[in-house]
Amino acid sequence: MKRVAITSLLACLSFGVYAEVKADADYIYYNANVYTVNDAQPWAEAFAVENGKIIYVGDIAGTGKYKGKSTKFVNLNEKMVMPGIVDEHIHPDMGADNYLNIFVSPMDSWETVTKKLKEYRAKYPDKKWIYGGNLNWLADNGEVISGTDVPSHKSSLDAIIDDRPVALWDQGAHAMLLNSMALKELNITKDTAPPAGGILVKDENGELTGVVRETVSEWVTAALDNPSLEVWADQGMKPFFSEMHSYGVTAMNDAYGVKRNFDAYKYLEDKDQMKIRMHVSISSPLNTPEQSAKDAQQYLIDNKDKFASEHVYPYGIKYILDGSAAGRTAVMLEPFIGTKYKGMLRIPQEDVMEEMERLEKQGFVFKVHAIGDGSISMMLDNLSQLPIRDDGRYHSIAHGTFTNPKDYVRFHKLNVVYEASPALWFPSDAIGIIEKDIGERVKYMWPIRQLLGKGTLISYGSDWTVAFSPNPWLAIESMVTREVPGGSKTTAFDFSAIKLEEAIQIATLNGAKAIGLGDKLGSIEEGKYADFIVLDKNIFDEKIRTVHDTKVLQTYFNGELVYEAK
């Protein structure tokens, strides 16, 4: 492995005046170990930036011709530098919700959950709803919430708060637990018919348990108190972006674009505070049972160019085909063990196909949530009926959790991105839950190595706040080890493990390509935006099971420092 070490003296000598002057750089960054993610030039010592773009990458001597009277020189002290990370599947609105509502972690004990709920209730006495997430996996049939001895039942929340409606997501974000007051507020009774694609879980006596799945959550979110745009953007979105900068993320895909997200992006961009590149997959009207929500989403689709800007790219459409890996709401090719049930599509396949054919002609690409091998196969069938894209933009299957081996080759053949999400890359209690439902098929979970071998373009998405953390370094390590970050005796099917170089490319250049910006970012090379990060260590020199501890010292966007560790 090449490692660059340069003395300050050599750096100073290299900045002499050259006869041939190409351009005056705004910044020259030097004395660095630059991992470019560019196969033609994997490592470099220095690079120059003008007007937010990289104009030179190479050795220190070569930067001299870009020196001008106002050029600023930045000594990076031999630190490792790499491109900014692209999170190709994240939910900014849910992240903002964490700052404005209650946040519990799937790792929290029930004692901690109880304490957080009571403290939140006391702190915000005027809030009608107590809303947030994420609990650990919810169960049906009176079973306990994963990792606890507490039933997945409304009574568990009633015992904490019974005079205000409470709604908490579980970590799959395809199920919620409601207390009795929330069911009453929504006028949900045991005789209520769920919306299309939704489930109201009942016990053996036909009584509501308080667990609701899939599209029923739309009823909850429609009933919530909505903050003003200023509060939403300044106290929700802006802190969310700052947190992502601390992990080194400089671009992302909003995987469920709605109007209030676009409003927040414009609000921040007007204040010159939108320091992130945001591709948006607008939620399809087919995802929601509510006509008013359908109309709102169609408005966004019809007016996509109105919402486009320097940093916002609203050119995707999001579909949610099935549910989650746990809870038997994924759609499988073969039945769940002990049943004849294969899961339920949230949207009829023919409806999705009709809309895809229409919107593809309007220039949209599709981001499709598909967990089970049945829904993945179905979506590949749909995409095979559309023209294969060759314009640098891609359709993408999100999660692709249980992909049938017969479908591996189709991703590359159809030029479809496989977006791998980290929620179950490493061993967790969810694997045991899922294995009870699908048996040996669980070993096909995230077949990253196998798909890379077929030439598939693979991207990284945190799916936060559905996953328990948006920290990409956990995912990068776990893609290589298939273990719990830091190492574990058990693995999440290590025959699908990959190399560190491959994991970094997935999290940078591949992500940029997946959102249609592969020619503009994702690697440190001439002509691309100067979106890059400075790390506390050269991760190639460290043991792989320490990568999850990587700290980002600085994050740059358009060559501007937007985050610095304290």
Side-chain angles (χ1 to χ4, degrees):
M1 179 61 61
K2 181 180 179 183
R3 179 178 174 86
V4 183
I6 300 135
T7 66
S8 297
L9 175 61
L10 179 58
C12 292
L13 290 174
S14 71
F15 295 136
V17 178
Y18 280 63
E20 179 189 356
V21 177
K22 284 190 175 181
D24 289 351
D26 298 317
Y27 296 95
I28 290 175
Y29 300 91
Y30 68 100
N31 196 17
N33 289 286
V34 184
Y35 185 62
T36 66
V37 194
N38 174 11
D39 289 341
Q41 185 186 28
W43 291 90
E45 302 172 347
F47 55 101
V49 174
E50 180 190 24
N51 293 328
K53 290 189 175 182
I54 299 165
I55 58 174
Y56 168 81
V57 182
D59 59 20
I60 285 180
T63 64
K65 67 184 73 173
Y66 299 98
K67 176 187 175 184
K69 292 182 179 180
S70 61
T71 301
K72 297 181 176 65
F73 304 104
V74 182
N75 185 343
L76 294 177
N77 301 307
E78 299 185 21
K79 295 297 183 182
M80 179 174 169
V81 176
M82 60 177 275
I85 288 171
V86 181
D87 191 325
E88 213 255 303
H89 188 131
I90 197 165
H91 298 280
D93 50 341
M94 296 176 75
D97 272 337
N98 274 1
Y99 289 96
L100 294 171
N101 295 286
I102 189 166
F103 175 67
V104 298
S105 168
M107 311 302 289
D108 286 342
S109 66
W110 192 252
E111 181 182 8
T112 299
V113 172
T114 299
K115 181 181 178 182
K116 286 182 177 181
L117 282 168
K118 287 183 175 179
E119 288 177 347
Y120 188 88
R121 183 190 186 286
K123 186 176 181 179
Y124 299 102
D126 297 328
K127 275 203 169 185
K128 182 177 179 180
W129 278 82
I130 296 176
Y131 164 78
N134 294 351
L135 297 174
N136 211 326
W137 296 100
L138 294 170
D140 297 335
N141 307 318
E143 296 173 357
V144 299
I145 300 170
S146 183
T148 77
D149 57 1
V150 177
S152 293
H153 195 274
K154 59 189 176 183
S155 61
S156 298
L157 292 180
D158 291 344
I160 306 170
I161 298 174
D162 63 2
D163 60 348
R164 286 162 70 180
V166 180
L168 298 179
W169 291 98
D170 83 351
Q171 68 168 307
H174 285 259
M176 280 182 169
L177 182 61
L178 311 184
N179 69 350
S180 296
M181 191 71 176
L183 293 168
K184 181 178 179 181
E185 180 68 25
L186 296 170
N187 295 315
I188 296 176
T189 71
K190 64 180 181 180
D191 299 318
T192 301
I199 299 171
L200 293 167
V201 177
K202 299 177 184 179
D203 63 20
E204 59 185 7
N205 298 316
E207 298 294 331
L208 295 169
T209 67
V211 175
V212 301
R213 297 191 181 277
E214 305 305 331
T215 57
V216 180
S217 64
E218 299 278 347
W219 289 350
V220 177
T221 55
L224 297 175
D225 315 306
N226 291 312
S228 66
L229 172 59
E230 292 77 13
V231 169
W232 173 243
D234 288 331
Q235 298 178 33
M237 282 288 188
K238 190 175 176 183
F240 162 72
F241 289 150
S242 295
E243 180 174 356
M244 298 309 295
H245 284 153
S246 76
Y247 300 128
V249 175
T250 55
M252 58 182 68
N253 179 57
D254 176 345
Y256 200 85
V258 294
K259 179 69 161 51
R260 69 173 183 165
N261 293 13
F262 281 114
D263 291 342
Y265 303 153
K266 185 178 188 308
Y267 172 88
L268 293 173
E269 197 156 22
D270 287 346
K271 296 173 67 177
D272 195 29
Q273 295 177 351
M274 186 72 182
K275 304 296 185 180
I276 207 150
R277 303 190 200 283
M278 184 71 71
H279 185 272
V280 183
S281 296
I282 300 169
S283 175
S284 165
L286 297 175
N287 289 329
T288 176
E290 302 297 324
Q291 189 58 49
S292 59
K294 289 179 182 291
D295 294 342
Q297 294 309 112
Q298 189 60 51
Y299 173 80
L300 297 179
I301 292 170
D302 293 340
N303 293 275
K304 69 177 187 301
D305 293 333
K306 175 181 176 181
F307 298 102
S309 65
E310 181 182 1
H311 298 146
V312 180
Y313 312 87
Y315 303 125
I317 300 292
K318 172 68 176 291
Y319 295 99
I320 303 179
L321 288 191
D322 60 355
S324 63
R328 294 189 177 186
T329 56
V331 173
M332 306 300 294
L333 290 172
E334 299 297 330
F336 293 102
I337 291 175
T339 77
K340 296 182 179 180
Y341 183 61
K342 297 181 181 180
M344 176 183 66
L345 285 173
R346 285 176 49 138
I347 315 170
Q349 180 177 6
E350 58 272 17
D351 292 354
V352 177
M353 190 69 246
E354 184 279 327
E355 187 173 276
M356 280 185 161
E357 288 178 330
R358 176 163 44 87
L359 295 183
E360 192 273 339
K361 295 174 183 176
Q362 296 178 30
F364 287 102
V365 293
F366 305 121
K367 163 74 75 176
V368 185
H369 167 112
I371 296 289
D373 55 11
S375 60
I376 295 165
S377 188
M378 183 208 101
M379 184 44 52
L380 291 171
D381 288 344
N382 276 21
L383 294 176
S384 70
Q385 299 177 59
L386 299 176
I388 295 177
R389 300 199 72 94
D390 60 358
D391 60 351
R393 301 177 67 225
Y394 299 84
H395 303 308
S396 171
I397 290 183
H399 315 311
T401 312
F402 303 109
T403 304
N404 188 288
K406 293 180 180 179
D407 280 329
Y408 290 171
V409 71
R410 292 214 285 168
F411 279 89
H412 176 65
K413 181 179 179 181
L414 297 173
N415 208 19
V416 173
V417 171
Y418 177 90
E419 175 234 300
S421 303
L424 297 175
W425 271 339
F426 42 84
S428 72
D429 53 4
I431 291 181
I433 296 171
I434 298 162
E435 192 167 15
K436 291 179 182 178
D437 290 335
I438 66 173
E440 282 291 305
R441 287 170 286 175
V442 75
K443 70 182 181 182
Y444 298 131
M445 183 182 290
W446 284 301
I448 302 174
R449 161 56 52 213
Q450 291 75 13
L451 288 164
L452 278 179
K454 301 294 184 183
T456 304
L457 180 64
I458 298 179
S459 67
Y460 150 78
S462 71
D463 199 15
W464 199 60
T465 62
V466 176
F468 74 89
S469 174
N471 184 346
W473 303 101
L474 305 175
I476 289 170
E477 178 183 318
S478 295
M479 277 192 279
V480 178
T481 66
R482 303 290 291 213
E483 298 173 2
V484 172
S488 59
K489 292 181 179 179
T490 56
T491 74
F493 316 109
D494 58 3
F495 48 79
S496 294
I498 61 175
K499 298 176 182 178
L500 180 57
E501 294 92 330
E502 293 168 326
I504 292 175
Q505 180 168 322
I506 284 171
T508 55
L509 182 58
N510 286 12
K513 290 178 179 179
I515 61 174
L517 298 174
D519 60 334
K520 295 180 173 63
L521 58 143
S523 58
I524 296 177
E525 55 184 305
E526 293 177 18
K528 291 195 172 185
Y529 291 119
D531 298 352
F532 62 93
I533 57 180
V534 182
L535 308 183
D536 67 335
K537 58 189 177 184
N538 187 328
I539 57 178
F540 288 100
D541 290 345
E542 303 290 328
K543 294 180 179 179
I544 185 60
R545 289 169 182 81
T546 67
V547 168
H548 71 281
D549 279 330
T550 300
K551 298 294 186 294
V552 175
L553 300 179
Q554 295 177 324
T555 298
Y556 289 82
F557 181 78
N558 278 347
E560 173 191 350
L561 181 65
V562 294
Y563 167 79
E564 187 164 25
K566 294 180 181 179

